[in-house]
Amino acid sequence: MTVRVGVIGAGMIGRDHIRRLTEVVTGATVTAVADVDTERAAEVAAGSGAVALPTGADLVASPEVDAVLVTSWGPTHAEHVLNAIAAGKPVFCEKPLATTAEDCLRIVEAERAHGRRLVQVGFMRRFDPGYRQMKEVLSTGSLGAPLIVHCAHRNPAVPESYHSAMAAQDTAVHEIDVLRWLLDDEIVSAQVVTPRATSRRFAHLKDPQIMIFETASGVRIDLEVFVNCQYGYDIQCEVVGEDGLVRLPDPAAVGIRTAARHGTGVLQDWKDRFAEAFDTEFREWIASVAAGTEPTGPSSWDGYAATVITDAAVRSLEAGGETVTTDMKPRPAFYGDTA
């Protein structure tokens, strides 16, 4: 079958996913678009052969929509996801699932009441080939028990609208999700400390930040978030086990020899770094919808966990680096035993 997808949110991410569903992924067609900016919705819909609908609720209710993609402003996510669950339609929600833990739990409870998983959250790193290779290695047990994880998330620069809490909420949240998945372990505490600030930041921003997490089994994670590093978009991850380590590979790039130097280019944009992950993420989601099976990607519970952990990190930052426990609810059996 061809899955008819309705897209709520016609901004940059929404347009990029519409391109992906139209030009890259087979078995899908975009049939409806809705956005708070109705003129933009009409323009994007016309460009993809879809119809523009007045509201997200109208789109969810449309008989021409089999599955819903939510790429609107974060505070609207909970409303649209809950509407999709009530309609019994599969829904892919870009992160965050919701902007509060309470709204995430409302989604969890609605999905449990429905009786089967309908929600997938857009944490694309689980679909990246490098992270998947790391997961395979860790799953064999050949490195022994994981002990330490070292990570870095670096952006060349961020706009003035980026504020200090976003280092956890918008940036580190990707490491938070993928590390829960890699380690099959839950994060139980967070601490954020701020070293000397870069002169390249806007005055209101604390950058870089060092985030320290502890998991239920005692693994210690250190994460450098540096969003004005200047040189490029650079993602690093290394898991140290009792008997060895596994490291995320850098993206493949040609070697360049010129002017007495030998080097490789550094990517400048997250869309280029994770393009393959985004494509795989949507291929697998559309395949699950077409087959009538539950999604295999990040769940509503994963969305809730990420929100709880980023909330703890923000509280630590605001408290001057105190360690803050996550105080997460017990994981329902409905979502399995592991992250």
Side-chain angles (χ1 to χ4, degrees), residues 87-156:
K89 294 184 178 182
V91 54
F92 184 108
C93 182
E94 270 300 346
K95 63 90 178 168
L97 175 64
T99 52
T100 68
E102 291 75 17
D103 276 346
C104 288
L105 285 176
R106 289 174 59 208
I107 292 169
V108 165
E109 291 308 315
E111 190 175 41
R112 292 175 67 194
H114 177 76
R116 67 187 297 267
R117 276 194 58 192
L118 290 174
V119 181
Q120 179 165 321
V121 184
F123 290 120
M124 76 293 186
R125 290 202 190 176
R126 298 190 188 197
F127 301 87
D128 175 73
Y131 279 111
R132 286 189 159 184
Q133 290 170 25
M134 290 182 73
K135 177 72 169 176
E136 290 175 8
V137 171
L138 291 168
S139 296
T140 68
S142 60
L143 303 182
L147 306 175
I148 306 167
V149 184
H150 305 294
C151 296
H153 188 143
R154 305 182 183 116
N155 293 3

Side-chain angles (χ1 to χ4, degrees), residues 5-10 14 18 21 30 32-35 59 67-71:
V5 181
V7 181
I8 304 174
I18 288 171
L21 289 168
V30 176
V33 178
D35 192 276
L59 184 145
V68 178
L69 170 58
V70 177
T71 57

Side-chain angles (χ1 to χ4, degrees), residues 164 167-168 190-197 206-213 220-226 312-324:
S164 296
Q191 180 186 17
V192 181
V193 296
T194 52
R196 177 181 178 178
K206 294 180 178 179
D207 184 48
Q209 297 179 26
I210 298 172
M211 303 183 184
I212 303 167
F213 302 103
R220 286 286 187 167
I221 299 164
D222 58 79
L223 166 61
E224 169 204 323
V225 177
F226 188 9
V314 172
R315 292 200 304 273
S316 175
L317 176 69
E318 294 172 345
E322 291 183 7
T323 299
V324 177

Side-chain angles (χ1 to χ4, degrees), residues 1 3-4 66-67 90-91 284-295:
M1 65 173 287
V3 178
R4 300 172 300 174
D66 302 315
V91 54
E284 294 188 10
W285 178 60
I286 289 296
S288 71
V289 175
T293 57
E294 294 188 353

Side-chain angles (χ1 to χ4, degrees), residues 179-200:
L179 291 174
R180 293 177 58 250
W181 173 73
L182 277 177
L183 299 172
D184 282 340
D185 205 354
E186 197 54 86
I187 293 172
V188 297
S189 71
Q191 180 186 17
V192 181
V193 296
T194 52
R196 177 181 178 178
T198 174
S199 63
R200 308 298 186 187

Side-chain angles (χ1 to χ4, degrees), residues 12 44 57 86 91 159 169 206 246 264 268 275 301 322:
M12 178 187 69
V44 172
V91 54
Q169 295 166 337
K206 294 180 178 179
V246 59
T264 57
Q268 299 295 302
W301 184 259
E322 291 183 7

Side-chain angles (χ1 to χ4, degrees), residues 256-263:
I256 302 170
R257 295 173 186 262
T258 183
R261 294 182 180 274
H262 177 209

